[in-house]
Amino acid sequence: MTAEDRRRIAEGLAAGLAYAEIARRLGRSRSTVTREIARNGGPHGYRAARAQHATNWRARRRKRTPRAGIPHTTDNRDVGTAREFEEQFVAIMIETGMAPMTARVFAALFLSEAGSLTATELARQLHVSPATISHATKWLEQRQMVTREREARRVRYFVDVDVWYRTWVASARAMAIWADTTRHGAGMFGTDTPTGDRLRTTSQFFELLGHDMSQAAEHWRQALSMQRRR
């Protein structure tokens, strides 16, 4: 991607264009544009000159040292493919609402060989401060996406295969809370009023969604349990 491409991306973001429209105007794929934005500050922090400088810096660094957390092989194509997937993984999480640095921390953990890294390893790998890692992991811990253990003076973070089940169950609980809250509001305003009717309809939606999510989570838990017994 050229400096001119990056300038047009920045202009497109400033104009409020969707990623797909920016990609169409550039004649590039949406995934390419999404990864470019994700790795250079996200939709609100993207700057063309900064992105160009960061890309040049990454290219120089890649020649010097292999990137931590990515499988090390003698096949450069495999390493490149792993890096490309990591960027795509991060981009998807950002596009679905996760903060850029939080997405990078989670991806680093999830794609690491052991599914765990210390806070120091994360800071070194992502070239950020320990405070930045702490802020990102706090958000992930609150949503049960990572867990932590203390090893002497170090803090180690873990992510495992159950992460999606736990986050899904947490989301289902959130749907139940929304259903209860909006049902209560409908009763307060009265379902014969426009506000009460909206609240009643909202409550019905969240109740149905929460029920379906809970069932899906239970089916997954049972399937995973069977797999582990084999």
Side-chain angles (χ1 to χ4, degrees):
M1 188 164 287
T2 66
E4 175 63 17
D5 290 335
R6 293 188 168 94
R7 183 186 65 79
R8 293 173 63 185
I9 287 175
E11 290 178 349
L13 290 171
L17 298 182
Y19 288 8
E21 177 60 20
I22 295 174
R24 187 188 68 78
R25 295 187 181 191
L26 288 176
R28 294 181 176 270
S29 69
R30 177 178 174 177
S31 61
T32 297
V33 171
T34 300
R35 288 196 300 271
E36 167 66 20
I37 296 171
R39 68 164 66 98
N40 291 297
H44 303 296
Y46 187 88
R47 300 292 183 274
R50 188 187 305 164
Q52 184 68 29
H53 176 76
T55 300
N56 293 339
W57 178 85
R58 282 194 294 266
R60 291 194 299 271
R61 180 176 178 274
R62 194 173 296 124
K63 292 178 181 178
R64 292 197 299 268
T65 58
R67 184 172 177 179
I70 295 297
H72 296 274
T73 72
T74 56
D75 187 340
N76 291 331
R77 180 186 59 189
D78 291 344
V79 174
T81 299
R83 286 175 179 154
E84 182 178 355
F85 178 78
E86 183 183 28
E87 295 295 346
Q88 187 176 16
F89 194 86
V90 169
I92 290 173
M93 288 190 290
I94 292 173
E95 194 168 355
T96 53
M98 190 179 289
M101 183 49 63
T102 304
R104 288 196 172 280
V105 169
F106 182 75
L109 285 166
F110 193 84
L111 299 178
S112 64
E113 185 71 19
S116 74
L117 292 167
T118 66
T120 301
E121 289 169 338
L122 283 167
R124 185 184 305 121
Q125 177 175 326
L126 299 176
H127 303 283
V128 296
S129 68
T132 299
I133 296 299
S134 178
H135 179 76
T137 52
K138 181 179 180 180
W139 189 94
L140 292 167
E141 285 183 278
Q142 288 174 341
R143 288 153 183 81
Q144 301 181 47
M145 296 181 72
V146 302
T147 57
R148 73 161 70 190
E149 287 184 9
R150 182 163 290 281
E151 299 177 346
R153 296 182 179 181
R154 301 187 307 175
V155 174
R156 179 174 291 275
Y157 296 97
F158 296 84
V159 62
D160 57 41
V161 70
D162 289 331
V163 60
W164 307 117
Y165 171 77
R166 291 195 301 272
T167 55
W168 191 262
V169 169
S171 295
R173 287 197 295 266
M175 295 303 102
I177 293 171
W178 273 108
D180 289 343
T181 301
T182 50
R183 186 185 306 111
H184 177 67
M188 289 180 59
F189 285 93
T191 55
D192 56 343
T193 66
T195 300
D197 184 59
R198 283 196 300 274
L199 287 166
R200 178 182 59 82
T201 302
T202 300
S203 176
Q204 291 173 341
F205 170 77
F206 281 125
E207 184 174 8
L208 177 63
L209 185 60
H211 178 265
D212 289 347
M213 290 176 70
S214 295
Q215 283 194 324
E218 181 59 23
H219 289 328
W220 166 248
R221 187 190 65 78
Q222 293 176 2
L224 187 61
S225 178
M226 290 179 62
Q227 289 177 8
R228 288 172 172 172
R229 287 199 297 266
R230 290 174 183 172

